[in-house]
Amino acid sequence: LLAAALSVRTAHATSPRERAVQALDSLIDRYWNPALSMFNTADPCNDCNRVFHYWWQAHAIDALLDGYVLTGDPKYLDVMEQLYAGVRRRNGGHLFNDYYDDMLWMALALLRAYEITGQDRYLTNAQRLWLDIQGGWNDHYGGGIAWRKTQRDYKNAPANGPAVILTARLYRVTGDPEYLDWALRIYNWLEENLVDPRTRLVWDGINRQGDGAIDKDWLFTYNQGTYIGANVALWEVTGDEQYLERAKRTATASLLYLTRSGGVFQDEGQGDGGLFKGILVRYLVELVRADEDTAQIRNALLRNAESAWASRTPSGTFGPRWQGPPHSGTVDLSSHLSGVMLMTLTAGLQASEVSAAA
């Protein structure tokens, strides 16, 4: 009955804002687990929570914050606060983790929660996470933040791109120049080691298998997204236009190399891969907001939103494909979150453009 009701409700959602609200409703209605104060990791959930996907829940915090920013509805903040408490409880009463990239996503979400709510605990915990994360910087391959604590000689874009964004934003919030020093140091390492100078696409990492090789064939949407976000974040705090130009070049390359028919971003599966496109969307939207000369990127985002909306499952969730036929079977939380972020962020982009025109 719930699935049928959702299908009816979403069928009548026509404006970008209405679609975003329906996507958020599907997130809460179909995935929220009140006993855990967290989102189930799949719909339907058949013993789906045995593995704790810490970083998926971090992105769920961000998605709820997106909902609040778009609508002003405090219910999204209420669920976000419950989720924060649930994650801490499931994680042993703290937020530390073996994976530096996972902690970075949590720190970014909590820093944003601080900026939106003004609650100091979120800033304090983002800063505590960063103190732990910066211990991942070491001299293997000339620097860079390691992927995880037990593999300190493997450096990758998933750890270093978000680290630039976090430290640049901590500098913006606190004014402490040490954060900016870190942002520039990490960015320079990423630029020199994992960005293809010809295509401007971002490679995944170096020394994953202990052989010193760079994973140049691993071209994922989220690595492009975090590099774009790193450039936008540095432009915001330095005013240096070179960062916007680099962001635009990688965004354009992403549209060229990482899309399928109709300009829809590639299917990267479920599991962790289900979140990849949503991360790219988040930072493409930030680029469009930062630079008016990005009509091609804006239009690509709107095309993806239209295609993904038309490709929802009968239950109103978003599978790993943003073009038909609709996904059948279990939909991971990661995949649905990407669709929610696509709908909410593009709706917010269009709403701000309407306000500016008025």
Side-chain angles (χ1 to χ4, degrees):
L1 289 176
L2 177 60
L6 280 169
S7 295
V8 171
R9 282 158 48 192
T10 54
H12 295 291
T14 56
S15 74
R17 187 181 186 279
E18 289 173 331
R19 292 179 177 184
V21 169
Q22 297 300 347
L24 287 158
D25 284 349
S26 294
L27 173 63
I28 296 171
D29 292 346
R30 302 200 66 87
Y31 290 87
W32 182 249
N33 186 323
L36 297 176
S37 290
M38 293 194 306
F39 289 104
N40 288 330
T41 61
D43 177 54
C45 179
N46 298 312
D47 194 24
C48 71
N49 294 313
R50 285 182 297 168
V51 176
F52 176 32
H53 292 285
Y54 169 104
W55 80 287
W56 297 9
Q57 304 293 335
H59 284 282
I61 290 174
D62 250 332
L64 292 165
L65 293 171
D66 294 335
Y68 176 72
V69 169
L70 179 67
T71 68
D73 191 330
K75 75 177 182 182
Y76 299 117
L77 292 185
D78 292 341
V79 178
M80 185 273 294
E81 290 173 356
Q82 294 177 58
L83 176 56
Y84 168 73
V87 168
R88 286 186 66 101
R89 184 164 57 248
R90 178 69 182 267
N91 201 56
H94 59 83
L95 295 172
F96 300 112
N97 189 286
D98 182 52
Y99 292 85
Y100 290 115
D101 58 337
D102 288 14
M103 289 193 292
L104 280 157
W105 290 122
M106 184 62 69
L108 282 166
L110 295 182
L111 181 58
R112 192 160 169 244
Y114 165 73
E115 293 188 273
I116 290 171
T117 69
Q119 294 187 33
D120 289 339
R121 60 178 174 155
Y122 295 128
L123 174 59
T124 298
N125 279 289
Q127 290 174 308
R128 286 173 176 168
L129 283 167
W130 166 245
L131 285 174
D132 193 56
I133 293 162
Q134 73 183 53
W137 178 277
N138 61 71
D139 291 335
H140 290 290
Y141 299 96
I145 301 286
W147 178 49
R148 60 176 177 170
K149 295 174 181 177
T150 56
Q151 196 176 1
R152 292 175 57 80
D153 59 354
Y154 171 40
K155 311 295 181 62
N156 65 6
N160 287 274
V164 178
I165 301 169
L166 176 64
T167 47
R169 290 180 177 177
L170 282 168
Y171 171 69
R172 183 187 68 196
V173 168
T174 69
D176 185 341
E178 184 178 346
Y179 288 126
L180 181 57
D181 290 344
W182 270 108
L184 293 170
R185 185 188 313 176
I186 299 165
Y187 176 86
N188 288 335
W189 182 88
L190 178 63
E191 175 72 27
E192 291 169 7
N193 289 275
L194 293 180
V195 179
D196 185 334
R198 182 180 65 85
T199 66
R200 301 303 301 174
L201 289 171
V202 181
W203 300 316
D204 190 73
I206 182 171
N207 200 46
R208 177 172 53 91
Q209 296 180 317
D211 57 3
I214 296 176
D215 292 312
K216 295 184 178 182
D217 293 333
W218 279 20
L219 296 174
F220 300 123
T221 53
Y222 79 140
N223 287 335
Q224 319 314 312
T226 59
Y227 176 73
I228 291 165
N231 278 286
V232 173
L234 284 175
W235 169 77
E236 287 176 343
V237 296
T238 68
D240 190 333
E241 294 290 329
Q242 73 167 326
Y243 295 119
L244 279 187
E245 291 305 313
R246 290 176 179 176
K248 286 191 288 186
R249 288 181 65 187
T250 296
T252 301
S254 299
L255 301 185
L256 178 63
Y257 291 100
L258 303 180
T259 56
R260 298 297 180 256
S261 61
V264 176
F265 289 115
Q266 64 190 20
D267 174 2
E268 290 165 300
Q270 296 212 79
D272 287 345
L275 263 167
F276 290 1
K277 293 195 293 291
I279 293 168
L280 174 59
V281 166
R282 178 172 301 285
Y283 295 111
L284 286 177
V285 168
E286 291 192 3
L287 174 59
V288 172
R289 289 182 181 277
D291 193 318
E292 295 180 354
D293 187 25
T294 49
Q296 179 188 16
I297 299 165
R298 175 192 178 278
N299 291 338
L301 287 164
L302 299 185
R303 282 197 306 273
N304 273 266
E306 286 295 326
S307 182
W309 183 256
S311 304
R312 288 164 298 141
T313 72
S315 298
T317 55
F318 296 91
R321 293 188 305 275
W322 285 355
Q323 57 189 165
H327 177 78
S328 61
T330 300
V331 176
D332 286 350
L333 172 64
S334 55
S335 296
H336 185 61
L337 280 171
S338 276
V340 171
M341 289 189 280
L342 174 65
M343 293 300 146
T344 310
L345 294 167
T346 54
L349 184 63
Q350 290 172 282
S352 64
E353 290 171 347
V354 170
S355 298

